[in-house]
Every structure is written in C-alpha cells, then in structure tokens.
Amino acid sequence: MIKRVKGTQDFLDLTLFNFIIEKISHHLALYRFSQIATPIIEHTELFTRSLGTATDVVSKEMFLIEHRGDGQHEDQEIEHICLRPENTAPIVRAFIENGIQTIPWKVFAWGPMFRYERPQKGRYRQFNQISMEIIGAASIAEDAQFIMMLDRFFHETLQMNNYAILLNFLGCPQDRVKFKEKLRAFLDKLGTAVCANCMERKDKNIMRIFDCKISTCQELYQNAPHIADNLCPTCEQEWNAVQLQLQMLSVSYVYKPTLVRGLDYYSKTVFEFASNQLGAQNAFCAGGRYDGLVKELGGAEDQPSLGAAIGIERLMLILENYISRLALPQKQALQVVVPMGTAEQSLALILADVMRASGLCVEVLLEGDSMKSMMRKANKLGAAHCLILGSDELASKTVTVKNMVTGEEKRMPQVEVVGFLSAFAKVT
Ligand code: ATP
Ligand code: MG
C-alpha cells in the first residue's frame, strides 16, 4: 500500500474546517478585509530575503524544488522554487507586484503551508493557515484593533475562553541593534554554561536564545535583559499606547518579555494566542508588525504593516473539545427513493431529479435488494422518508411515502410528493 507522505493528513470530514473558514470570512468582512489567494509555489529567494537565512524556517524547514527550465537544455539556469512555508511574504510580494495603490490594503487568504518539521501533535509538514494582513497601517492604534479583532473572533464567535494572549514589543531596528549588543554582553558573561545550540544562536540569531527548550538555559536567561526595557523614546511611547488601548478595549493579555517570534521581519508589536489544551505546540495564532518588509522586498515606498496567521489544525484540535457548543451547520434531511425493481428505476431517477430541483436532498437505492434490506439500508443512511415505487405505484402514478421516524405510510400522487416533503421540512 502506498501511504500518505509523513506529516500530512487526510481530512475525511470538513465540517469544522469549513465552519472556521466561513466564520472568519464573515468576521473579517466586518473589519473590511477582502479575500485573496496567492500561489502555493514561490521563488525561494522571497523567503530567504524576508524571513532571514538564520531562521529555523529558512535554514531547516523549506521544501525546495529545483527546476531546470523545460529540461531540454543542460545549460539552462536552474530555477529555485519552494512550497511556501508561510503567507505574509507572498502577500507582500503580491502587493508590490500588482502595484496596489489603495492603502491600507486589508486582505486575508487561507490555504496550505509547508514546513519540513518533525511531525507531532499539532505539528505537520503540510498545514493550513488563515493569514490576515494590513499593508499600510502606520498608526500603532491599528495593533490594538488587530489584536482585539482576533480576540473577539476566538472569544465571541468561537466561544473560546481557555487561551492567553502573549504580548511583547521588539522595538525598531536601531533598538534591536543596541539590544543585541547588550544581550551578547550578557551571554559572554555566561560563557560555556549555555547549550551548544544557544552558542550558535548567539552568532546567528541571538534573540532566539529565549526559545531554547533546555531548562538550565531558561534559568540562566531569567536575569537576561529584555528588549521592551531597552526602547527608544518613540517606541517606548508606542509600546505604552498598545497596552493602554488593549486595556481600554477589555482585551486581557500577558506581557511575555521572551516572546521574540521566529522570523526576521517582525518589529515592534508581536503576539501569540496560546492555549493550554494543545500541549507543547500551544500557539494557534501568531503575528505582529513588520514595518520594513515592503521596502525589503522591493516596494518603492515604506509601508508599515501588520498581520497574523491562524493555524487551522491547531484551532480545530481545541474546538473539537467542545464541538457540541458550536452551531455547526446541520445536515439536510435525507429522502430515499426506493424502486422495487428495474422497471421502476427510470421513474425513480426522474422523481429524484424533480425533488433535487426543489432543493431536497435525495438518494436513490439502485442496488435492487429485497424490500426489507433496502429499508434497512435507508435507515442506516438516516433517511427522514422513504419513497417507495413498486408496480402498483408505477401503474397508478402514485408513490408510497414512509415516515422513517413514526413508521407512518401514506400513498399520494407522484406530483404531490415535492409539496408534501417541502411542507414537512418547514414544520420540522
Ligand atoms: P511554532 O512555534 O509552534 O513552531 P511558529 O512560530 O513556527 O509556531 P508561525 O510561523 O507564526 O508559527 O505560524 C502561525 C501559526 O501557524 C502557529 O501559531 C501555528 O498555529 C501554526 N503552525 C505553524 N507551524 C505549524 C505546523 N508545522 N503544523 C501545524 N501548524 C503550524
Ligand atoms: Mg515553527
């Protein structure tokens, strides 16, 4: 047997998945976001330029495709393409490439992302994200509104209450240059007491030391300097403003000084929504501000921006715990047409066709079993009614309608069936 690729999943029931997409689309429309879609494949350089080569995603987790043009010529240049690991950089690329002039550009997109990670609960190699971005959002008040928008969605629309919003402020690039020096001096004092991984991070991506999973490192870092205590006056003011506005909007958050996020493009506000129901992979939504990214990717003008991504699989893991509380769409009542023999099959197909044209959900049993076994089959399918067509019914242009809940049977002219069942559906 050929099995699915490691770290991928088959979705055999999309009810919850589609429910999430429908609800978030509606919610985002209230904030004037419109939906877009970008390709699943992009040039690898888009991510090395934006996320940074020293990040885990780019250095270890990329699904790379190398393509030599049409394959006909040996000397053709190799095209470096990859499966997208995230969707912020592609959306920014789309903004620049399509010459979007309407600022702010408020868009969302959803679809699969790919990262070559070690698969475990809540961590897959192909997973789905809903990405929301505001490109051209200079005011820091946008940050509070954005976090509120997400909080209202999880708390009110999805009725979640078992999560925390973790918040930090990474300052401007100048703040980070200064802070990294300070952090390096702190690490120098610790010498070789930290793990080999952190020694490497110190040279390549120093702020990521705070993500170290090793407890001895974590203990040592308790006395480390924090970026939010080392901001320039403008950033300091903005950091205070974000917090004050969140408080005024009744959005509870936890200041987490060690939240640095994995990707290089973040500046200023960063946040994560984390649930204690997810175990080690506890973040189901994450994002922040990326003021320099548009310019970095070749945009003519600077466009301060912010965005976030919801991990759909992780959100589903949480929602599955209380699925009965959600108003998931109900399946339509099923009507089963039961032709007793091959002579009645054509009539059964015509009747079913007319019924479906009136919006009824219909299954026709065409396997020609005994009456008893067909009724059992209909019951198993969860039929609301069975519409029995035998030789009598065929001759008299009638149909016997059996209510599968009460067992009641009623014979009526075929032309009356749709009216009868539609009226029935309205009452129940
Ligand atoms: P983590 O720290 O859990 O690896 P991340 O910082 O790499 O997350 P982001 O790049 O911010 O994640 O992606 C946003 C969201 O996408 C995450 O909060 C998570 O819900 C989801 N996500 C990220 N990687 C995976 C994955 N491999 N499988 C499933 N969901 C994922
Ligand atoms: Mg990750």
Side-chain angles (χ1 to χ4, degrees):
M1 191 186 58
I2 300 171
K3 295 200 169 159
R4 62 173 177 266
V5 172
K6 194 172 169 189
T8 64
Q9 297 189 87
D10 297 314
F11 288 88
L12 301 181
D13 183 347
L14 283 168
T15 314
L16 183 56
F17 191 105
N18 290 340
F19 174 80
I20 292 170
I21 299 293
E22 194 214 306
K23 292 293 176 195
I24 191 77
S25 307
H26 180 257
H27 187 73
L28 290 173
L30 301 178
Y31 291 79
R32 211 179 55 78
F33 280 73
S34 52
Q35 188 176 3
I36 62 161
T38 59
I40 282 170
I41 48 175
E42 293 279 358
H43 291 292
T44 310
E45 196 192 345
L46 176 64
F47 302 103
T48 47
R49 276 263 289 277
S50 56
L51 313 190
T53 43
T55 57
D56 284 354
V57 174
V58 168
S59 66
K60 298 185 212 151
E61 301 172 1
M62 295 283 268
F63 272 88
L64 302 170
I65 304 166
E66 282 193 356
H67 202 276
R68 195 188 294 277
D70 57 12
Q72 304 295 311
H73 307 285
E74 271 298 300
D75 58 351
Q76 219 157 25
E77 231 178 85
I78 292 179
E79 215 181 344
H80 294 274
I81 295 174
C82 66
L83 300 180
R84 62 183 182 191
E86 61 101 52
N87 214 2
T88 298
I91 291 175
V92 170
R93 177 203 50 69
F95 170 82
I96 300 167
E97 192 168 353
N98 293 290
I100 307 292
Q101 298 295 332
T102 37
I103 307 293
W105 198 47
K106 300 172 83 170
V107 294
F108 76 99
W110 67 270
M113 307 298 149
F114 304 83
R115 294 184 195 176
Y116 201 84
E117 305 203 66
R118 194 168 66 77
Q120 50 200 291
K121 187 183 172 205
R123 195 179 291 294
Y124 314 98
R125 289 183 176 172
Q126 175 175 338
F127 59 98
N128 290 278
Q129 281 185 345
I130 302 159
S131 321
M132 300 141 280
E133 318 289 342
I134 309 184
I135 297 180
S139 166
I140 200 77
E142 295 278 6
D143 302 41
Q145 179 169 233
F146 200 93
I147 296 170
M148 174 189 71
M149 172 179 85
L150 292 163
D151 188 50
R152 298 288 187 261
F153 177 66
F154 296 125
H155 191 66
E156 277 156 32
T157 311
L158 298 183
Q159 298 179 52
M160 292 165 59
N161 43 31
N162 40 21
Y163 65 84
I165 302 174
L166 311 174
L167 189 68
N168 196 15
F169 203 82
L170 303 181
C172 56
Q174 295 85 319
D175 287 343
R176 281 199 299 285
V177 169
K178 277 197 207 147
F179 176 72
K180 283 178 184 176
E181 268 171 38
K182 205 165 178 178
L183 194 57
R184 190 160 295 121
F186 168 80
L187 275 184
D188 281 342
K189 269 196 236 139
L190 295 179
T192 51
V194 303
C195 74
N197 225 335
C198 280
M199 292 296 269
E200 207 184 314
R201 287 185 183 119
K202 186 176 143 189
D203 295 328
K204 287 191 179 157
N205 199 353
I206 192 163
M207 284 168 73
R208 292 289 282 182
I209 59 158
F210 292 118
D211 286 340
C212 187
K213 301 275 186 290
I214 295 172
S215 56
T216 48
C217 284
Q218 281 303 338
E219 258 165 56
L220 291 168
Y221 301 153
Q222 285 196 346
N223 301 319
H226 294 147
I227 177 87
D229 299 330
N230 290 276
L231 301 171
C232 65
T234 315
C235 282
E236 169 110 30
Q237 220 173 27
E238 293 190 329
W239 171 221
N240 290 334
V242 177
Q243 295 179 84
L244 197 65
Q245 276 163 348
L246 286 174
Q247 286 157 22
M248 291 198 319
L249 293 165
S250 307
V251 176
S252 339
Y253 63 87
V254 180
Y255 163 49
K256 188 180 174 196
T258 57
L259 180 72
V260 291
R261 310 283 299 116
L263 316 174
D264 276 4
Y265 55 61
Y266 284 113
S267 58
K268 299 185 179 173
T269 315
V270 287
F271 56 85
E272 273 183 11
F273 286 67
S275 163
N276 55 15
Q277 300 196 331
L278 284 173
Q281 278 62 248
N282 62 3
F284 58 93
C285 173
R289 195 165 254 288
Y290 48 91
D291 285 353
L293 187 56
V294 173
K295 202 75 179 276
E296 180 65 41
L297 289 177
E301 277 173 60
D302 240 345
Q303 293 294 355
S305 305
L306 79 160
I310 298 174
I312 300 183
E313 285 81 357
R314 291 197 198 163
L315 183 59
M316 286 171 74
L317 282 172
I318 302 173
L319 296 181
E320 275 157 9
N321 294 319
Y322 59 89
I323 202 143
S324 56
R325 257 200 271 158
L326 301 172
L328 293 179
Q330 296 291 311
K331 273 203 189 119
Q332 227 190 314
L334 173 68
Q335 319 299 341
V336 175
V337 181
V338 184
M340 296 304 297
T342 42
E344 290 82 28
Q345 283 189 346
S346 307
L347 174 61
L349 295 182
I350 294 167
L351 183 64
D353 184 39
V354 173
M355 289 167 71
R356 292 189 191 108
S358 300
L360 295 166
C361 169
V362 187
E363 181 72 71
V364 188
L365 297 186
L366 293 167
E367 295 315 313
D369 289 326
S370 70
M371 175 75 174
K372 202 170 154 196
S373 87
M374 283 206 276
M375 295 311 279
R376 205 180 301 133
K377 225 183 241 174
N379 229 337
K380 226 173 165 180
L381 293 174
H385 296 92
C386 274
L387 289 86
I388 301 158
L389 292 171
S391 51
D392 281 1
E393 283 91 349
L394 189 64
S396 58
K397 293 195 169 38
T398 57
V399 55
T400 300
V401 180
K402 178 170 180 175
N403 183 318
M404 298 299 278
V405 179
T406 62
E408 206 179 322
E409 279 189 22
K410 195 171 168 176
R411 196 186 272 204
M412 63 186 74
Q414 285 158 14
V415 291
E416 286 178 16
V417 166
V418 168
F420 174 78
L421 293 175
S422 304
F424 194 89
K426 274 194 201 111
V427 177
T428 52

